[in-house]
Amino acid sequence: MNNDAMTTHLSPNQSLETDSSAQESPMPNNVLNNDEPDNQEMMDEQEIMDEHTDALDNDDLLEEDSDIDEALDDGDMDEGDDDEAPVAGQAVPVVVDITHIVTEDQSGLRVDKVASQMFADFSRVQLQGWITDGSLLYNGSVQKPKVRVKADDVLHLSTTLQQHSEDQPENIDIDVVYEDDDVLVINKPVGMVVHPGAGNQTGTLVNALLYHYPQQHHLPRAGLVHRIDKDTSGLLLIGKTKPAQMALMEQLKDKSVYRHYQCVVAGDQASLLRHRRIDAPIGRHRTQRTKMTVMTAGREAVTHLLNVTPLNDNYCLLDVGLETGRTHQIRVHLSHVTHPLVGDRVYGGRRQLRAGLTEAQRQAISNFPRQALHAYTLGFVHPTTGEDIEVTTPLPEDMQQLIAVLSDGYNDE
């Protein structure tokens, strides 16, 4: 656990209060209604999960594309007592052994209905298959899914999950800044790709998650809800159960998840304040297919500059909020208004260098190895408790050093 990270818990009806840089955030934070009708079709859940898997592969629900530089497109579970750690290239079976005693409130319900309530990590299709094949026993015997249960009856699920993808667990350290039974928030370091893709089959956050949380093998992308670029640092939201992941996905769609970034950009304060709200559609560049660009035929993209802090006459630290989440959105929008991020070789180029720099400042900008962008605040409604949760993490050391060099002597009189 990162002691520098901060987490705020608020009641569902209490508004989030952040620092002055975030008070103008346009992003809502409404409590998600997770009530599920009793007659919901089994395929509904699967369709949502399929849509989410496609989204992670095709740039929907994304803040930044995690592999755009490498490819065009992109419970009580027993983990065993074996001290031998899994290695990359080996699937890790997850043993599930759970018992539930039927309550008075559940008396009269079908076996499959109770199972879907109590073993919510798994789809109804999985559970019905386990009822049929004997992995899920009712009072010690195999029964049909439609059998009605009585209070104090016993449901026992015993099975072994096999990995559903080619992604393999790897013993890679991860910085957990928030965790409970349903949700995980990770502070991703610079240089880590979020999930495997062309050119990045190993060393990703998903590989790390599968090692540290092997029970998440059955979740799409190990529970990921969104992603950020390889060279962007900061917070990522992950569901630890299927219901949590689905609820958080829906929150991202309805914009009740909010995300604040800090970035260092080329531009003076007065000029940047003229672009407090950047509303410009973004699509893939017609000829340079690894780049995104502002285009009429693109998808809606809205970025808010919540606070502009001058570092010197020509560079500022921005607090940025995303209303939408398009690939490379912050980088593309700020470049579009002629104020690119420091270190952004794709969208910044020579425009990063402005007049009036000392030699030390010029070198700091020219040598900064990645876009100076950090996802520092993440807010969401807890999918189980309904609480408003806000997690923050400080700027990484490389950005702090860059800011120190650029602001050196600026306020001295």
Side-chain angles (χ1 to χ4, degrees), residues 22-318:
Q23 288 175 357
E24 298 182 39
S25 171
M27 277 60 75
N29 196 23
N30 302 321
V31 177
L32 188 67
N33 183 353
N34 287 324
D35 293 339
E36 179 182 336
D38 288 342
N39 62 352
Q40 182 179 7
E41 296 292 335
M42 287 185 295
M43 287 304 294
D44 290 349
E45 293 177 352
Q46 189 59 48
E47 288 171 357
I48 293 172
M49 299 307 288
D50 289 345
E51 179 182 351
H52 174 56
T53 301
D54 291 342
L56 282 172
D57 288 333
N58 294 294
D59 300 340
D60 292 330
L61 300 181
L62 307 182
E63 295 156 8
E64 304 286 339
D65 184 35
S66 67
D67 54 3
I68 192 68
D69 294 331
E70 291 77 25
L72 275 173
D73 298 304
D74 301 310
D76 295 325
M77 299 186 182
D78 180 10
E79 296 179 24
D81 298 322
D82 190 357
D83 291 332
E84 188 72 21
V87 297
Q90 294 180 344
V92 178
V94 179
V95 176
V96 181
D97 192 351
I98 313 173
T99 299
H100 172 67
I101 299 176
V102 176
T103 65
E104 290 286 350
D105 291 343
Q106 294 169 332
S107 181
L109 297 177
R110 290 168 47 133
V111 169
D112 56 355
K113 177 63 176 178
V114 176
S116 68
Q117 290 178 348
M118 304 316 301
F119 309 135
D121 281 354
F122 312 108
S123 71
R124 293 187 183 185
V125 173
Q126 282 178 302
L127 291 167
Q128 288 195 334
W130 289 333
I131 292 171
T132 301
D133 69 18
S135 297
L136 201 167
L137 298 176
Y138 169 64
N139 289 336
S141 63
V142 179
Q143 295 289 347
K144 294 182 178 180
K146 65 182 181 180
V147 168
R148 304 283 174 172
V149 303
K150 302 184 297 296
D152 297 326
D153 285 345
V154 178
L155 274 63
H156 181 212
L157 174 61
S158 178
T159 189
T160 300
L161 294 174
Q162 298 298 327
Q163 192 171 356
H164 288 189
S165 72
E166 297 179 357
D167 301 338
Q168 302 299 333
E170 294 182 68
N171 186 7
I172 302 169
D173 288 340
I174 53 178
D175 182 7
V176 177
V177 297
Y178 175 85
E179 181 177 12
D180 59 32
D181 290 341
D182 303 288
V183 179
L184 190 64
V185 180
I186 299 293
N187 183 22
K188 187 191 79 70
V190 173
M192 175 182 277
V193 173
V194 173
H195 65 75
N200 290 289
Q201 294 299 328
T202 61
T204 73
L205 178 57
V206 164
N207 298 120
L209 287 171
L210 293 177
Y211 179 91
H212 295 285
Y213 300 90
Q215 67 271 24
Q216 295 187 207
H217 273 289
H218 66 287
L219 299 178
R221 298 298 194 194
L224 283 177
V225 174
H226 61 118
R227 66 189 181 195
I228 56 178
D229 183 74
K230 172 184 176 182
D231 288 328
T232 299
S233 56
L235 299 174
L236 280 167
L237 182 60
I238 296 155
K240 293 178 68 178
T241 68
K242 182 170 67 71
Q245 186 184 23
M246 292 174 65
L248 293 170
M249 286 156 39
E250 289 302 314
Q251 287 188 47
L252 198 66
K253 285 184 179 180
D254 68 22
K255 302 176 184 178
S256 54
V257 171
Y258 64 90
R259 298 148 289 167
H260 292 175
Y261 290 72
Q262 288 181 311
C263 56
V264 178
V265 301
D268 62 278
Q269 184 181 39
S271 297
L272 285 159
L273 286 173
R274 291 196 287 268
H275 302 285
R276 297 299 292 268
R277 184 178 189 270
I278 305 173
D279 184 351
I282 291 176
R284 195 168 294 281
H285 198 286
R286 289 185 176 88
T287 58
Q288 301 178 59
R289 301 300 292 170
T290 59
K291 293 179 63 174
M292 309 301 289
T293 188
V294 169
M295 59 193 309
T296 304
R299 301 175 64 189
E300 179 190 15
V302 180
T303 301
H304 296 264
L305 307 192
L306 305 176
N307 196 47
V308 181
T309 303
L311 300 176
N312 58 43
D313 289 337
N314 288 304
Y315 290 85
C316 290
L317 173 67
L318 303 187

